[in-house]
């Protein structure tokens, strides 16, 4: 019945879940025909689906040869990330491996068979991935190899180094996510689906990655603490507690939330860059690929802002909410309206006593200036009283069915949760 109560409060979720499941998702994620692919590429797409169903869906929706380039880019970085995450690899082995990983792209027989990680198949069968990498156009190869090299060096730097200053927080997020944004942007331009400026403006591309990574780090405080990882910058949390783990103690909940709000304010500074970046995109498949994670991120930050639950459990956006965002975020005016809606939610929750309140208000004002809804395209869906009544009746009749249905759609909305 708890699920029913949630849907009664959000009847649009029911409509969009049904619309999504009954074919609406094909508007943003068309089905890809794999029958015409060679054996190696089919294997790569199988690994893509095994390692990330959510990214697999949006990658396979990209147009033309860009789809294959991004698929291989993802698998190469997944292999690199698997090396970084594998705690069974001694540092004297791991550090050189991270530094040299990009060179293995040109070694047909290189593979690593001693990993204990769940995604180890991308290392064990790296020859298939590297073969398809070498089958790509040189312009794509150059981008992927360059980003892989830079990311490996950055990962090695932070293996034995904690994130202390806010500058180092930005640097760490650049290595693990900003470089991904830069690499993707260069691939977009290389495909000629997007103008050259998209790949050349590395500052905007970096902000795209930083906004997503900071959102994940903020939301995942408790999970990271339980697994012995720390990514919140010491420069910020040390003003609120002696140890980062102290923020999870019930007696520290007030200062913990203040620390949380300061970090969310920091992340919000990337939103103007995100909007500028998205406004330059011309290709619909590229726009959907880029916009969906960004609107999921702003919705997640709105859910986390001033929320004690971040330090007690998991904060997630609703599946129906995620589906609505995926289906709405198909043009820049709609994305601006979504951003406007969620920063307004944050604004309404700003405590007058919060130490960061002035900074939060200022950054929200700058986002408002860029995303003021002023046209029909910029307006979110509005539902008439008759529609809402029908939707609530549908909720009462269908909640159990949709409970099962929502599980089936989970693979499409994990990007909003992960």
């Amino acid at each position: 019945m708890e699920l029913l109560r949630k849907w009664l409060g959000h009847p649009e979720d029911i409509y969009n879940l049904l619309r999504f499941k009954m074919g609406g998702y094909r508007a943003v994620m068309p089905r890809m025909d794999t029958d015409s692919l060679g054996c190696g590429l089919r294997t790569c797409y199988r690994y893509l689906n095994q390692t990330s169903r959510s990214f697999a869906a949006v990658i396979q929706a990209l147009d033309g040869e860009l789809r294959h380039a991004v698929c291989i880019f993802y698998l190469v970085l997944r292999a690199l990330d698997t090396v970084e995450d594998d705690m069974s690899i001694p540092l004297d082995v791991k550090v050189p491996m991270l530094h040299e990983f990009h060179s293995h792209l040109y070694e047909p027989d290189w593979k690593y068979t001693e990993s204990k990680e769940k995604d180890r198949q991308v290392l064990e069968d790296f020859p298939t991935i590297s073969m398809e990498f070498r089958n790509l156009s040189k312009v794509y190869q150059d981008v992927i190899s360059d980003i892989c090299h830079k990311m490996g060096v950055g990962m090695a730097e932070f293996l034995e180094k904690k994130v202390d200053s806010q500058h180092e927080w930005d640097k760490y997020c650049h290595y693990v996510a900003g470089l991904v944004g830069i690499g993707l942007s260069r691939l977009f331009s290389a495909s000629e689906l997007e103008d050259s400026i998209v790949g050349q403006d590395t500052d905007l591309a970096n902000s795209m990655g930083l906004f997503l990574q900071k959102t994940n780090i903020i939301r995942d405080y408790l999970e990271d603490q339980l697994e012995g990882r720390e990514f919140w910058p010491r420069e910020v949390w040390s003003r609120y507690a002696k140890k980062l783990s102290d923020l999870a103690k019930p007696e520290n909940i007030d200062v913990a939330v203040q620390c949380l709000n300061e970090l969310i304010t920091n992340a919000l500074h990337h939103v103007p860059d995100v909007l500028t970046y998205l406004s330059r995109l011309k290709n619909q498949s590229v726009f959907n690929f880029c916009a969906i994670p960004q609107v999921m991120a702003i919705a997640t930050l709105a859910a986390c802002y001033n929320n004690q639950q971040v330090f007690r459990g998991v904060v997630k956006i609703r599946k129906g909410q995620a589906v609505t965002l995926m289906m709405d975020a198909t043009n820049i005016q709609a994305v601006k309206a979504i951003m406007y809606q969620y920063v307004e939610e944050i604004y309404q929750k700003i405590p007058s006593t919060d130490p960061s309140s002035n900074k939060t208000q200022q950054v929200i004002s700058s986002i408002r200036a860029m995303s003021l809804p002023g046209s029909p395209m910029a307006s979110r869906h509005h539902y008439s009283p008759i529609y809402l009544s029908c939707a609530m009746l549908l909720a009462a009749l269908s909640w159990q069915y949709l409970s099962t249905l929502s599980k089936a759609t989970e693979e499409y909305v994990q990007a909003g949760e992960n």
Side-chain angles (χ1 to χ4, degrees), residues 75-87:
L75 291 177
V76 168
L77 297 188
R78 171 59 67 185
L80 180 67
D81 191 55
T82 301
V83 172
E84 183 204 22
D85 287 344
D86 195 333
M87 302 305 291

Side-chain angles (χ1 to χ4, degrees), residues 296-398:
M296 298 285 193
I298 192 67
T300 300
L301 287 185
C304 289
Y305 186 81
N306 210 49
N307 188 349
Q308 298 179 1
Q309 186 62 23
V310 171
F311 303 95
R312 295 171 177 165
V314 181
V315 175
K316 293 183 178 181
I317 60 176
R318 303 180 311 276
K319 287 184 174 62
Q321 182 182 6
V323 165
T324 298
L325 291 170
M326 291 174 66
M327 298 185 73
D328 281 359
T330 56
N331 63 77
I332 187 60
Q333 292 303 324
V335 170
K336 286 182 177 181
I338 291 168
M339 292 290 188
Y340 186 91
Q341 171 191 332
Y342 285 110
V343 296
E344 283 299 304
E345 282 190 19
I346 293 173
Y347 186 85
Q348 295 302 320
K349 294 191 288 186
I350 299 174
S352 59
T353 57
D354 190 272
S356 303
S357 60
N358 288 338
K359 291 182 179 178
T360 311
Q361 291 169 354
Q362 288 171 7
V363 69
I364 287 177
S365 293
S366 66
I367 297 170
R368 280 171 168 167
M370 293 187 69
S371 58
L372 281 171
S375 70
M377 288 288 287
S379 300
R380 301 296 308 281
H381 294 303
H382 295 284
Y383 301 94
S384 69
I386 293 176
Y387 167 77
L388 290 175
S389 298
C390 292
M392 291 177 72
L393 176 60
L394 179 61
L397 295 172
S398 310

Side-chain angles (χ1 to χ4, degrees), residues 176-247:
V176 300
L179 282 172
V180 179
I182 291 170
L184 287 169
S185 300
R186 289 169 61 187
L187 293 177
F188 298 157
S189 294
S191 72
E192 299 185 354
L193 293 176
E194 298 296 345
D195 292 336
S196 59
I197 186 62
V198 172
Q200 293 168 355
D201 196 333
T202 56
D203 287 341
L204 291 188
N206 187 59
S207 280
M208 293 283 285
L210 263 61
F211 184 58
L212 299 181
Q213 186 65 22
K214 287 182 178 182
T215 297
N216 289 341
I217 288 173
I218 290 167
R219 181 201 59 197
D220 293 341
Y221 165 84
L222 192 60
E223 177 185 330
D224 287 338
Q225 281 293 302
L226 293 174
E227 297 188 12
R229 300 188 299 254
E230 293 190 355
F231 298 113
W232 285 25
R234 178 186 294 271
E235 180 184 344
V236 176
W237 64 254
S238 62
R239 293 198 291 269
Y240 300 92
K242 291 183 179 179
K243 295 186 298 182
L244 182 56
S245 58
D246 288 344
L247 295 178

Side-chain angles (χ1 to χ4, degrees), residues 50-61:
Q50 290 171 350
T51 54
S52 178
R53 291 180 299 173
S54 57
F55 279 115
V58 291
I59 288 173
Q60 290 172 118

Side-chain angles (χ1 to χ4, degrees), residues 5 75 100 117 140 146 165 188 270 274 315 339 346 363 374:
R5 283 193 292 272
L75 291 177
E100 298 164 7
E117 291 292 298
Y140 296 133
D146 180 53
S165 67
F188 298 157
H270 297 293
V274 168
V315 175
M339 292 290 188
I346 293 173
V363 69

